[in-house]
Amino acid sequence: MMVDRRQLLVLGALSAASTTLAACGGGDADDGSGAATLNFAFWGNDDRATKYQQAIDLFQQQNPAIKVQTSFAAWDVYWQQRSTEAASSSLPDVLQMDLAYLAKYARTRQLRRLDDDLGDGLTVNGIDPNILPSGRYDDGTYAVPTGTNAFAMFYNATLLADLGIPAPTTPLTWAQYQQFITDVSAKGAGRPERVYGSVDYTGVFWIFLHHIRQSGKDPFTGNKLNFTEADLTAWWESTAALRPTALLPAKDVTALKPVSPFAKSRTASEFAWDNQLAGYLGDSGGKGEFKQLTLPTDSGTSGLFYKASMLLAVAQNSEHPQQSIKLVDFLINNPEVGKIFGTSKGVPVTQAQRDAVQASGVDAQVLAYEESVKSSVGASQGALPEGFGTIETDFLTIAEEIAYGKTTPADAAKRWFADATDALTQ
Amino acid sequence: MTATVDVRRRRDIAAGYLFLSPWLLGFVLLTAGPMIASLYLSFTSYDLFSSPSWIGTQNYTRLFADERFRHSVTVTLGYVVLATPLKLAAALAVALLLNGRRRGQGFYRSAFYAPSLIGASVSIAIVWKALFGAEGAVDEIGRFFGWNSGGWVGNPSLSMPMLVLLSVWQFGAPMVIFLAGLKQVPAELYEAALVDGAGRIRRFLSITLPMISPVVFFNLILETIHAFQIFNSAYVISGGNGSPAGSTLFYTLYLYMRGFADLRMGYASAMAWVLALAVAALTLIMFRTSRSWVHYGGDPS
């Protein structure tokens, strides 16, 4: 294979042309007004996809030169797709980010450092200064939150009225809450489909983390656990007396999955993020009225915090960073977008969007709840440690074994600690 | 003279390799290459985000200290030991029934084979989940007879039998092979046995089984390897995490979780190699023992 002079010439011309082309692309991208096609990925369901499409149609009307192609998947699949893309530096230009994955993506420089764009292309004035730092990792900002969630204790007012049990009121201690569970399960035992006070709530990682926060500690310091095996054993043992008769059996929980037994009126209370309300209503088939309360506590501190949700990030490998930032800016600040989403992605993070939310129905209830706990929320949670997803999954699976009576709290805590230490030091 | 023969021969060889090339390319690019890559990765720590870093045999030593790994091995072995013989027995039984000359036999053969075509699919796993779930058809029938199982899916002691049943139901492939084997048994042997007054069971044990033992052996190996690789149905029915209470945490499922959920590709690669070596060793052992019970037609006995 010899290359003759003519071929060499053609090759040279081609490579020169391609450099010019690349230069053109770069030149256009600077002010963000150049033509570009952006890829945008998020996790969610059809409902969220429809809402995003409406928002993006609006964006494209205002920026005719920019085309946005969306793709979405369920949570697990979404992260599998992103990690394979990260391996080949082909992440979508704009992507939805979560606190559980922020550290990994930021540390490995997969995301654009946004600090120079803040105030210059990306307006963040409207964002609560306590929430904005959630998107920080180390010394840089790598993602911007679009909404907030707060944890809540839900109860089913209709079901309680049916059973003739008064609705719980705050302040509530954990012991009082357990008494409430016992009462409901005793009354609910006579029903054709037995009703219980709750599932074994100690199996949910986030409730445990709030419990730790209630004692005035952050659950994590950097990449380390800030609680002991004894703390966890005590937590899992705290419902031991209820398990035999007062908590919905694990096999019933499994059988109903992925629908929550609370939404199906099989239990009278459940802990979840406050924006879960819409999900409960959807699954309930119109039966039940779901209300939110702050968490039970023994210390007087609720342990609550506003958790940044559905953060947006720009990929480091994006060829159109300016246009991408324009899209993020639009999604965070545009009031119409606030109206489209309501509180389905959490309470909008900017005042302009919060004001645009039609305050009725579910949205009004979620807005009111977050407003009501405002005085008791603590410091916001930043990026979660790398490996958080793994230790959370482990927590759920190991706690499930306790619920099935396959292991004891002490053994379970020992195992989880070994797994978690391993996962966090990876 | 010899020169032209040589040229022709060389041309033939070239043509042979040319025809083989799609397969060779596929083998090198899609099988051998990835296998070597995974062997390398099994000695590294690799999370897709940063390049793999060499950690020697650490993945392997960790593996054997990992309680969930040991648990997944137990679960998988339990499944293999249960599902393989049951499936083969079902396949042989139906093959014996279909072996006679009966009207509509072709139809039956296809009908019994159908489940193996669709059984491994995701949709069947979903159907299975609905059938065996709480208030599913199986639960309803059980309740009618006074047995309230509360659904097999959510019950840690019934979720495994449920998956075994799903596997047994797909007996079509070994059944067809058994049928072919049964057709090869010379009719004279049965006639001679009849003359000697041998009963049905005697004929089955003394003629049929020894005569089809090579086919039994073939099916045994194939189905054992197959059973070790159970993934789809377990993934769908357990929701991807081996629930309830880890009772369906199969080896491949745990491998997948480690690799694609926890992004520990090195660890997952090590698991894959341990599985490959274990299955190879088991197959070797089966070949060794086969000498004592598999009879090939041409054997001087």
Side-chain angles (χ1 to χ4, degrees), chain B:
Chain B
M1 268 301 270
T2 40
T4 46
V5 169
D6 266 3
V7 168
R8 190 179 292 164
R9 197 172 184 191
R10 223 175 290 150
R11 269 194 198 156
D12 281 353
I13 290 171
Y17 276 108
L18 193 69
F19 280 112
L20 267 178
S21 63
W23 186 86
L24 278 178
L25 267 178
F27 175 74
V28 171
L29 293 177
L30 301 175
T31 309
M35 275 180 78
I36 291 165
S38 96
L39 182 62
Y40 164 70
L41 286 178
S42 74
F43 293 103
T44 66
S45 168
Y46 180 46
D47 67 353
L48 288 181
F49 284 74
S50 351
S51 22
S53 62
W54 186 265
I55 54 167
T57 54
Q58 247 187 65
N59 282 327
Y60 291 93
T61 47
R62 261 199 205 155
L63 208 58
F64 292 104
D66 179 352
E67 201 169 329
R68 284 171 85 194
F69 170 79
R70 288 198 299 257
H71 177 68
S72 76
V73 170
T74 321
V75 168
T76 310
L77 284 178
Y79 174 80
V80 172
V81 167
L82 217 59
T84 314
L86 282 177
K87 186 175 183 177
L88 290 181
L92 184 56
V94 177
L96 284 170
L97 285 177
L98 290 180
N99 192 28
R101 254 186 234 117
R102 220 167 273 130
R103 212 190 274 171
Q105 212 213 33
F107 167 76
Y108 286 121
R109 215 180 299 161
S110 315
F112 280 117
Y113 187 72
S116 355
L117 289 176
I118 53 171
S121 70
V122 170
S123 50
I124 288 299
I126 293 172
V127 169
W128 218 252
K129 193 176 181 178
L131 266 178
F132 285 86
E135 279 141 52
V138 174
D139 188 31
E140 294 286 321
I141 295 170
R143 249 188 251 186
F144 181 77
F145 290 106
W147 180 48
N148 191 353
S149 65
W152 294 38
V153 174
N155 192 327
S157 42
L158 289 175
S159 53
M160 173 70 90
M162 173 185 72
L163 286 168
V164 169
L165 276 177
L166 175 56
S167 149
V168 170
W169 182 59
Q170 302 164 45
F171 59 75
M175 175 198 78
V176 168
I177 299 171
F178 276 135
L179 251 174
L182 289 173
K183 303 263 184 219
Q184 299 294 317
V185 183
E188 306 94 78
L189 291 179
Y190 291 112
E191 283 157 14
L194 265 179
V195 171
D196 289 345
R200 253 167 199 280
I201 296 171
R202 183 81 214 168
R203 269 178 284 155
F204 174 73
L205 290 177
S206 302
I207 301 174
T208 315
L209 261 191
M211 288 306 284
I212 63 164
S213 59
V215 179
V216 175
F217 179 58
F218 175 80
N219 271 337
L220 179 68
I221 294 218
L222 224 58
E223 292 304 325
T224 307
I225 294 175
H226 200 75
F228 270 106
Q229 294 173 340
I230 177 181
F231 178 76
N232 281 4
S233 44
Y235 179 83
V236 173
I237 292 175
S238 78
N241 62 11
S243 80
S247 61
T248 61
L249 185 71
F250 289 103
Y251 195 96
T252 49
L253 194 58
Y254 186 48
L255 190 160
Y256 177 82
M257 283 166 68
R258 277 301 186 217
F260 290 93
D262 301 350
L263 295 182
R264 293 164 75 166
M265 291 296 171
Y267 196 86
S269 299
M271 278 188 77
W273 274 95
V274 170
L275 178 63
L277 292 178
V279 171
L282 202 67
T283 312
L284 201 71
I285 292 171
M286 284 199 279
F287 265 100
R288 281 281 155 80
T289 60
S290 76
R291 282 174 201 163
S292 62
W293 62 272
V294 177
H295 309 284
Y296 291 97
D299 269 3
S301 42

